[in-house]
Amino acid sequence: MSSSITPNERLLRVPGPELALHWRSSRHARRLLTLSVAGVFIALLARRPEFAGVAAPALLLLAAGRAQRRPARISVRVRPSATRAFEGELVALDVRAEGHGDSHVWWTLHPGPDIDPGDVTAAEGPQARFTFTPERWGRRQIGTMDVVLRDRWRLAEGHLTVTLPKLDCYPAPADQRTTVVLRRLPNRLGEHPARTSGEGIEFFGVREYVPGDRQRSINWPASTRRGRLQVNTFAAERSQDVVLLADATSDVGVPGSSALDLALRGAAAAARAYLEGRDRVGVITYQWGGVSWLGPGLGRRQLYRIIDSMLASPVLANTGGYARGASFRRLPRAALPPGALVVVFSPLLDQRFVETLRDMRERGFTLLVVDVLNAEPPTRWRREDRLAKRIWRMEQEAIRFSLRELGVPVVHWDGVQSLDLPLAAHTRRPLAARR
Amino acid sequence: MTGTAAIRGAPVLLGAGCVAWAAAPLVNSGWAGFALFLAILGVAAGTLRLVLAGVPTPEESYLLSAPVRFWLKFLDILRLVPWEEGALVAILWLEVLHPAPPWHTAVLGAALIGYLLATHLAESGASPEALRPQARVLAIGAGLLALGAGAGMLPAVGPGAGSALLRLVAAGALIAAAGLVLPYVAAPAPPTPPGSPGSPGSPASGRGTPGGR
C-alpha cells in the first residue's frame, strides 16, 4: 500500500457510526460441516464406526467455534484525504474499525466507475489505508468498502458494506504557458505591455526631457546625438478581461478524450494561464441554447470557482435535461464585459452555437476558437456511407472557413500536445479586434 | 521451498494423497469411476481456485471481447462452486466402496482434516500460527479418530445389525462427551490489552494483498 500521504489520524480518532454485522459461516466452516455430515451419514448407513471417527475432529472444531465471541455491531470510520481532486491525482482513503473485539478485520475496496484503485484493493487490520486515482472529471462515487470480520478460528464471518463518500473530480488542466493578448487593452493595471507609454518595464520610445522626469530615465546616447536631453519611455502594463466559453452541447469521442473532456481541460488550462498573468477570467458554459456563467475575477481561488461553475452546470453534473439557466442572448455585462477576449472551446457541431459565435463576432467581441473535435462519425465500408462522411467533413470545413472569414481564428487542439502549440500564431503578437 | 509456497502447495499434495489413498486399489462397483472423476475434479478445481484467487475481475463488464467474457465466466464458476466439498464427499464415497480396514479410514480422516486446514490457510493467507488456538481441540479430535478406528476393529459381539449399531452408538457417545468437555478446553482468548497489535486503538497494521482477492 502506498503511504506517500500522511495518515489523517486526527479525523480517524473521532468515533464513526455503529453499523450492524451480518454473520454467517465461512467457507472453512462449510467444508468442515460437509465432512462431518458425510462422515456421520456414512457411519450410520454403512454401520462403520470409523467414519464417525472421521467426522469427530470436524464436529469438535465446529462446536468449539460456536463458543467464540462475535460483536453484533462495530464502529467504522472512513475518511478520504481530500473531497476534491484533479484527474489523475492520488487520493488516500483511511479506514478504521472499532469494537471488533478479537476478530480479524478484512477490508476490500470496490471502486466506483472511473476510479482507479491502484494495485491494492484489500487489506487486513483494524486500520488501513487505500489509495486511488479518479480517472475522469465529475462528481464521482468512490465506491463501496466491504468489511469482513473473522473470528479467531475463522469459522464465522461478519459482513458489512460501507458506501464511500463522493469525490469532486476536476478536469486536469492541459499544459499552457503562453497567453493571447488583445491589441486594445482596458485601462486597468496589469502585466501585459500596452501600446501606450506608462510605468512598465518594457521599452516604448524616446522623447524630449520635460521638467519632472526622472534623471535615471535620461537616454544619454540619444541626448548626445540630438544636443538636448532625451528620456526613455516605457510601455504601460494593463490587464484584460478573458471569458472562456465552453461548449457542453456535444460529447463525442472516446470517453476520457472526448470533445467535452478536451473542452473542460482546455478551459481549465486557459483559466490557470490567464489568471497567472493577472487577467480577470470568467467562464460561460453553453448547453443547448442555455448557459451558466461566472463573471470575470482575479486570483487563484477564481480557478476553482471556474471549474466548479463548469461542473455544476446541469448537463455536466449529470442531472439530465436541458439547462434552465440564462439565455445566451440575455447575458449581463458582468458575464460578458465589452472588449473582453472570448476563448471558445467547442467541437463546433451545434449549428445554433456556431450562429451564436457569429452573432458575438458581429457585436464586436474578439473571439478565438479552439476546435476540440477529435472524432468522426463511424461509417461502414459502403459507398453511400463514405459519401456521407465526405459531405460531413466538407460541412465541418465550411463552418470553420465561415468563422475565419468573419475574423475568428479557429485552431485545432488534439488534447495531447500543449495548448501553446496551436495558439502559437496568436500568442506572438497582440490579437486585433477587427470590426 | 519458501513458507508461502509450502502453504500454497500443501493442499495440492494432501488432496492428491487423499484421492490416491481412497482410490487404490481401484474397484469397478458402485460408480467408483465416477466418484474418482469427481474427487480428482474437485481437488484440481479447488487448487486452481486458490492459484487464481489473486486475479482481479473488472468492475465494469461492458464491451468486453468474447474470450475475456469467457474467462470471467470461468473465474466466476471456479470461485462459486464448492469444489472442496464435492471432493470430500467423493473421497469418502471411494473409501466406502473399498473393504478397507478401519485404520485405513482413520488415516484418511486425518489427511482430510489436514487437507481442509491447508486449504483454509492457503485461501486466507494466514500463517500456520493461526491454528495454534485450535491445537487442543485438534488433539481431542485425533483421539476420537483413533477411538473410532479402534471401535471399528473390535470384533462384533454377535452377528447381525444390532451389534454394529451398538458400536456406532458408542462412537457417537464419545463424540458427544468430547463436545461437552470442549468449552473448558477451547476457552476464548483473553481480552487484548490496549496498544497491542490488533487492538482497536493500535496504530496502522494494514497488510496489502496485490490485485485484490
Side-chain angles (χ1 to χ4, degrees):
Chain A
M1 237 184 315
S2 169
S3 56
S4 57
I5 303 169
T6 51
N8 207 341
E9 287 287 345
R10 189 176 59 80
L11 290 171
L12 281 174
R13 257 183 245 136
V14 182
E18 287 223 334
L19 301 166
L21 285 158
H22 174 65
W23 285 92
R24 61 173 184 240
S25 301
S26 67
R27 286 185 96 133
H28 181 47
R30 289 200 294 271
R31 286 193 287 261
L32 288 172
L33 189 67
T34 306
L35 179 62
S36 52
V37 168
V40 169
F41 183 72
I42 291 171
L44 287 171
L45 209 67
R47 307 285 163 80
R48 289 168 68 175
E50 60 267 28
F51 278 94
V54 169
L59 275 174
L60 288 183
L61 280 173
L62 286 171
R66 294 283 298 170
Q68 302 295 312
R69 280 197 298 257
R70 291 165 194 161
R73 301 173 78 84
I74 58 164
S75 163
V76 178
R77 193 79 185 159
V78 177
R79 282 282 167 187
S81 64
T83 54
R84 293 171 179 183
F86 284 98
E87 287 172 320
E89 193 178 334
L90 197 68
V91 182
L93 182 75
D94 291 304
V95 288
R96 181 174 184 155
E98 286 180 350
H100 54 85
D102 54 358
S103 303
H104 297 267
V105 188
W106 190 272
W107 310 86
T108 309
L109 172 67
H110 296 284
D114 292 316
I115 297 286
D116 178 15
D119 294 335
V120 177
T121 56
E124 192 180 0
Q127 185 173 322
R129 157 163 289 215
F130 296 89
T131 51
F132 65 90
T133 309
E135 290 179 322
R136 201 179 177 208
W137 55 269
R139 194 165 170 75
R140 299 272 162 225
Q141 181 78 48
I142 297 174
T144 56
M145 181 72 74
D146 278 355
V147 188
V148 180
L149 255 68
R150 295 192 173 111
D151 63 3
R152 283 176 65 228
W153 291 27
R154 312 273 177 122
L155 292 171
E157 292 175 347
H159 288 259
L160 172 68
T161 301
V162 181
T163 305
L164 300 174
K166 286 186 176 177
L167 177 85
D168 286 333
C169 179
Y170 289 167
D175 186 24
Q176 184 181 359
R177 291 170 190 276
T178 55
T179 53
V180 178
V181 181
L182 288 171
R183 185 171 289 176
R184 293 169 63 91
L185 293 169
N187 194 9
R188 197 170 52 238
L189 203 62
E191 288 192 356
H192 302 300
R195 295 172 73 86
T196 56
S197 62
E199 292 296 318
I201 56 169
E202 201 161 301
F203 180 74
F204 186 70
V206 177
R207 65 167 170 77
E208 202 162 321
Y209 176 84
V210 291
D213 280 341
R214 289 181 194 169
Q215 195 176 355
R216 59 191 270 187
S217 62
I218 293 172
N219 187 330
W220 291 108
S223 303
T224 310
R225 275 198 303 274
R226 295 193 182 180
R228 286 189 299 275
L229 281 176
Q230 304 289 321
V231 289
N232 289 331
T233 57
F234 297 90
E237 291 189 335
R238 303 274 168 81
S239 70
Q240 60 182 351
D241 286 331
V242 180
V243 175
L244 307 168
L245 179 51
D247 176 13
T249 309
S250 317
D251 187 16
V252 291
V254 183
S257 58
S258 69
L260 190 53
D261 290 324
L262 266 54
L264 293 179
R265 287 173 198 152
R272 190 169 65 180
Y274 286 104
L275 286 169
E276 281 174 0
R278 305 287 188 274
D279 288 329
R280 280 160 35 102
V281 185
V283 69
I284 299 171
T285 313
Y286 175 94
Q287 309 127 3
W288 304 109
V291 291
S292 58
W293 57 273
L294 178 73
L298 280 168
R300 188 180 173 80
R301 200 175 285 176
Q302 180 73 357
L303 172 65
Y304 295 98
R305 284 201 205 104
I306 286 171
I307 299 173
D308 274 335
S309 164
M310 289 193 292
L311 294 184
S313 62
V315 168
L316 301 190
N318 293 324
T319 50
Y322 293 91
R324 291 168 187 265
S327 165
F328 201 90
R329 292 178 182 278
R330 294 176 194 163
L331 275 177
R333 286 168 67 94
L336 198 55
L341 168 67
V342 181
V343 185
V344 184
F345 293 88
S346 168
L348 298 174
L349 289 174
D350 182 28
Q351 195 59 38
R352 283 176 301 175
F353 184 70
V354 177
E355 287 302 322
T356 304
L357 294 184
R358 288 195 186 113
D359 182 51
M360 285 175 72
R361 182 72 195 102
E362 282 159 7
R363 283 158 59 194
F365 284 100
T366 307
L367 298 172
L368 174 66
V369 177
V370 179
D371 174 17
V372 289
L373 182 63
N374 282 310
E376 288 191 335
T379 51
R380 288 168 292 184
W381 195 247
R382 280 166 44 179
R383 191 169 170 275
E384 295 84 356
D385 287 10
R386 280 183 287 152
L387 187 63
K389 195 170 188 173
R390 280 183 63 195
I391 292 171
W392 180 84
R393 278 182 188 157
M394 288 167 72
E395 277 181 357
Q396 293 302 310
E397 283 172 15
I399 288 169
R400 283 148 185 77
F401 179 77
S402 68
L403 286 172
R404 286 192 190 103
E405 283 297 293
L406 280 171
V408 179
V410 180
V411 295
H412 180 259
W413 180 51
D414 61 3
V416 178
Q417 62 185 359
S418 164
L419 256 173
D420 295 324
L421 287 173
L423 293 175
H426 307 285
T427 51
R428 287 195 201 109
R429 57 179 179 272
L431 192 66
R434 286 184 296 157
R435 284 183 183 269
Chain B
M1 192 187 286
T2 61
T4 314
I7 288 174
R8 291 269 170 94
V12 191
L13 296 175
L14 282 167
C18 287
V19 174
W21 185 262
L26 201 60
V27 290
N28 289 322
S29 62
W31 296 70
F34 181 61
L36 181 62
F37 168 74
L38 277 185
I40 292 171
L41 177 72
V43 171
T47 306
L48 202 58
R49 182 177 66 82
L50 292 176
V51 170
L52 300 177
V55 178
T57 49
E59 293 287 324
E60 290 177 7
S61 54
Y62 305 110
L63 303 172
L64 294 176
S65 60
V68 174
R69 266 186 285 147
F70 176 78
W71 168 247
L72 291 178
K73 194 76 189 165
F74 171 72
L75 278 182
D76 270 354
I77 292 171
L78 202 63
R79 287 169 183 176
L80 286 176
V81 176
W83 299 106
E84 287 86 0
E85 282 94 321
L88 285 175
V89 173
I91 289 168
L92 288 178
W93 183 5
L94 279 173
E95 182 68 10
V96 172
L97 293 177
H98 284 100
W103 65 265
H104 188 277
T105 308
V107 171
L108 178 68
L112 282 177
I113 284 288
Y115 169 59
L116 292 189
L117 293 176
T119 304
H120 166 59
L121 290 181
E123 90 183 342
S124 64
S127 67
E129 287 296 309
L131 300 179
R132 189 181 289 275
Q134 308 173 24
R136 279 189 283 185
V137 177
L138 285 171
I140 295 174
L144 286 175
L145 192 65
L147 283 173
M153 284 194 280
L154 283 175
V157 180
S163 173
L165 202 61
L166 199 64
R167 287 188 297 169
L168 263 180
V169 170
L174 270 175
I175 294 171
L180 288 173
V181 176
L182 261 183
Y184 305 99
V185 175
T192 320
S196 65
S199 68
S202 67
S205 57
R207 186 171 59 81
T209 302
R213 271 194 311 159

